[in-house]
Amino acid sequence: MTEQVSVPASASGVPLHFAHDDATLKSPTVQRVADGRLLHALFVDSLTGVYNRAYATGRAQQLLKSARAARVAMLVVNVDGFSRINDIADYDLGDRLLRSVAQRLARALATNDLLARIGGDEFLIVTEHHGHMPMLAAFAQQMLALFAEPFVIAGREYRVSASVGVARSNDGARDAALLMRDAGAAMRRAKVHAPGNVCFFTRDMKEAAQRRFAIENRLRDALKAGELTIAYQPVVAAASRETIAVEALLRWTSSELGDVAPAEFIPIAEQAGLMEDIGDWVLEQACAQVANWRWSIAPDVSVSVNISPVQFNARLVQRVAACLANSGLDPCALQLEITEGILLPDDATVRATMAALAKLGVTLAIDDFGTGYASLSYLKRFALHGLKIDRSFVAGLPGDTDCAAIAEALVKMAHACGMSVTAEGVETEQQAVMLREMGCDALQGYLFGRPGTAADCAGRLSDADRFRRKRMPR
Ligand code: C2E
Ligand code: MG
Ligand code: MG
């Protein structure tokens, strides 16, 4: 028996109807209809032959409006480490693997389930779970178990796992796109905390997703609305305690959300594609400000600017060159702080960007050292000028002997590689003395000054300037 099923409007906006057998939802059979070719292109993923996102969304929306709404669940299945497969082999292998995954999933589904590919390595299953959590959990585990056996492609075995996120309509969302978003959020949670597992969408994830959504939304206008500012934190010479540099730290006071910490909004800006513009603005502001201070009150002060991994490419080189030219800042007074994550891929783009920046005359420092996976011997391969010891090691001083041993070893090894060392998060006099004795070149932390407005920082720099002039013989 076939029934008339409304499917989403076509690209031209005309609603389409085609004969559809509910028993075939899991694998499209739209070729059967007269104008099959058109429908096939509109609703079927050409790579795998399962439905595409547009069809799945429309069909799920119908279900969510029907009497069966309370029983609908979505599972987002994402192949773990798929990008690695594309990296080590050609795209053909990746394509064939995705086809095999689709076939395996399709074969395991019941007649009323719907399968679609909704992203590169991401599949969606729409199912009705009859309101029983244990049954739904068992079903999700069954989907995971499909990855236990290796995939055989061109005579070779490939082992991949998958992470699965599950969202149920009776937990809230009665909109297909929102339910899909929730299942996606649960899948990402699984990927971060326990790849190769199932994660159910929960209320706290919902709150986190809503906050994330609000931040992303508001952040889009933050620059134009003048809500972003830069705080400057002093960096002092370990021996003389004179302010030798400032670190530019981004601040956001949203008219709707209040103060949002950079640790919260920067990762969102990076994922939403907003960090390049924001990063450009930080560079411009910081260069102009410090050029001004060097001219007026502190001729030797330099500035450190944090650079996000998404900024680290040829475009950054152009932006840095433009900022230096516009502000007149001496290139040797600009230090860019990068994190280990930028260097770990060790690809040609990273090396070319580093070489071009070095040619401009700016210096590069590795920030938060010790929190990632890079070893010092690895860092030696790159032309880095400075290393900042992460504050988690400093916080343990003076009591924690492990922290002390690590900090001391870092200083020695960084010096052996020709890098200068700054300790971050120095809060007590004891820490400052100990780090100085270990050989740290510079210190940064609340003991010497919290990040403050440009005006606060100017006050501090001019006080230091007056003090220096007083000491100078006439
Ligand atoms: P970071 O670059 O390691 O900056 C140092 C962080 O430690 C700052 O946090 C600073 O306020 C904090 N801090 C400094 N001294 C002390 C101390 O004595 N004790 C404690 N507990 N904390 C101290 P903040 O400003 O919240 O920034 C957090 C992170 O956000 C930065 O870490 C940096 O990774 C990132 N960030 C800030 N501004 C920018 C930016 O313009 N671009 C990029 N890409 N990232 C930025
Ligand atoms: Mg930094
Ligand atoms: Mg740091």
Side-chain angles (χ1 to χ4, degrees):
M1 255 296 273
T2 59
E3 58 168 327
Q4 265 318 94
V5 177
S6 284
V7 294
S10 70
S12 61
V14 183
L16 295 165
H17 299 273
F18 65 88
H20 197 293
D21 182 346
D22 240 10
T24 58
L25 274 177
K26 65 173 178 167
S27 66
T29 52
V30 286
Q31 297 95 321
R32 288 188 208 161
V33 294
D35 51 352
R37 257 183 315 173
L38 173 68
L39 288 169
H40 198 275
L42 280 174
F43 302 123
V44 176
D45 170 46
S46 59
L47 177 69
T48 58
V50 299
Y51 286 116
N52 63 17
R53 177 191 281 265
Y55 179 77
T57 310
R59 182 72 182 128
Q61 196 61 30
Q62 284 181 332
L63 264 178
L64 287 165
K65 285 206 176 109
S66 74
R68 287 133 68 187
R71 311 193 304 223
V72 177
M74 283 192 185
L75 284 78
V76 167
V77 180
N78 189 289
V79 181
D80 294 328
F82 183 72
S83 57
R84 257 199 343 263
I85 292 181
N86 270 342
D87 287 346
I88 55 163
D90 54 18
Y91 284 102
D92 185 50
L93 174 70
D95 288 353
R96 291 171 76 169
L97 178 67
L98 289 174
R99 275 197 286 270
S100 302
V101 169
Q103 278 162 14
R104 231 178 242 193
L105 289 170
R107 273 201 294 269
L109 294 182
T111 47
N112 277 343
D113 297 332
L114 181 147
L115 175 65
R117 187 166 78 113
I118 56 168
D121 55 354
E122 205 154 284
F123 293 88
L124 174 80
I125 296 166
V126 183
T127 187
E128 290 179 53
H129 60 91
H130 310 289
H132 298 306
M133 266 299 265
M135 273 179 72
L136 184 59
F139 175 68
Q141 287 298 337
Q142 234 177 301
M143 296 301 111
L144 266 193
L146 295 173
F147 291 80
E149 291 296 312
F151 289 86
V152 182
I153 296 164
R156 279 192 64 182
E157 289 191 350
Y158 295 89
R159 286 188 183 276
V160 289
S161 61
S163 299
V164 179
V166 189
R168 302 186 308 161
S169 59
N170 46 357
D171 283 335
R174 289 287 169 98
D175 175 272
L178 292 181
L179 196 58
M180 206 184 293
R181 185 197 71 189
D182 293 350
M187 181 278 293
R188 281 188 291 283
R189 175 73 70 101
K191 252 203 197 322
V192 171
H193 296 290
N197 280 291
V198 175
C199 178
F200 275 79
F201 186 74
T202 56
R203 194 164 290 281
D204 70 310
M205 261 188 250
K206 190 182 186 113
E207 278 152 21
Q210 279 165 348
R211 164 112 181 135
R212 213 201 115 89
F213 185 69
I215 288 179
E216 186 180 326
N217 244 338
R218 296 304 314 145
L219 202 51
R220 289 191 187 278
D221 297 325
L223 248 185
K224 255 192 268 150
E227 294 177 349
L228 296 178
T229 52
I230 296 178
Y232 294 90
Q233 186 178 31
V235 178
V236 305
S240 66
R241 306 246 175 136
E242 265 184 73
T243 302
I244 48 173
V246 291
E247 178 169 2
L249 293 161
L250 191 54
R251 295 289 176 264
W252 178 28
T253 305
S254 157
S255 57
E256 271 179 34
L257 305 167
D259 286 342
V260 187
E264 186 176 16
F265 75 79
I266 287 175
I268 296 174
E270 287 169 343
Q271 279 162 23
L274 303 171
M275 200 54 213
E276 285 205 342
D277 285 350
I278 294 176
D280 285 353
W281 179 82
V282 174
L283 259 174
E284 273 162 33
Q285 297 288 311
C287 288
Q289 180 62 80
V290 174
N292 181 309
W293 283 335
R294 281 168 69 87
W295 178 75
S296 55
I297 44 175
D300 299 321
V301 75
S302 60
V303 62
S304 271
V305 177
N306 293 285
I307 300 295
S308 149
V310 299
Q311 289 175 268
F312 206 73
N313 50 39
R315 186 176 171 281
L316 175 70
V317 182
Q318 288 171 7
R319 297 307 313 154
V320 170
C323 288
L324 291 171
N326 294 341
S327 63
L329 183 68
D330 186 339
C332 72
L334 175 61
Q335 173 163 273
L336 304 179
E337 292 189 9
I338 59 174
T339 46
E340 291 163 59
I342 289 181
L343 303 177
L344 279 174
D346 191 6
D347 61 16
T349 319
V350 170
R351 284 187 177 274
T353 307
M354 290 183 80
L357 288 169
K359 220 168 157 192
L360 290 180
V362 302
T363 55
L364 283 175
I366 186 98
D367 201 2
D368 306 335
F369 191 76
T371 51
Y373 298 103
S375 66
L376 260 178
S377 59
Y378 179 85
L379 289 190
K380 202 166 173 279
R381 295 194 219 158
F382 301 93
L384 291 161
H385 307 85
L387 179 145
K388 297 186 84 168
I389 300 179
D390 188 64
R391 72 166 187 264
S392 54
F393 298 111
V394 175
L397 303 180
D400 187 325
T401 48
D402 287 345
C403 282
I406 293 170
E408 192 159 14
L410 285 180
V411 175
K412 284 207 176 83
M413 288 167 77
H415 281 168
C417 297
M419 289 184 246
S420 73
V421 181
T422 303
E424 297 187 292
V426 182
E427 294 186 358
T428 68
E429 185 58 35
Q430 274 174 308
Q431 290 170 341
V433 170
M434 201 166 174
L435 289 158
R436 162 75 191 121
E437 281 167 1
M438 284 178 189
C440 276
D441 304 282
L443 307 172
Q444 178 181 355
Y446 294 167
L447 178 67
F448 307 104
R450 287 180 180 251
T453 62
D456 292 343
C457 196
R460 184 189 168 99
L461 290 171
S462 47
D463 285 349
D465 187 46
R466 267 195 298 278
F467 181 66
R468 208 173 22 242
R469 279 170 205 270
K470 252 197 216 158
R471 280 190 313 177
M472 273 203 291
R474 284 171 199 271

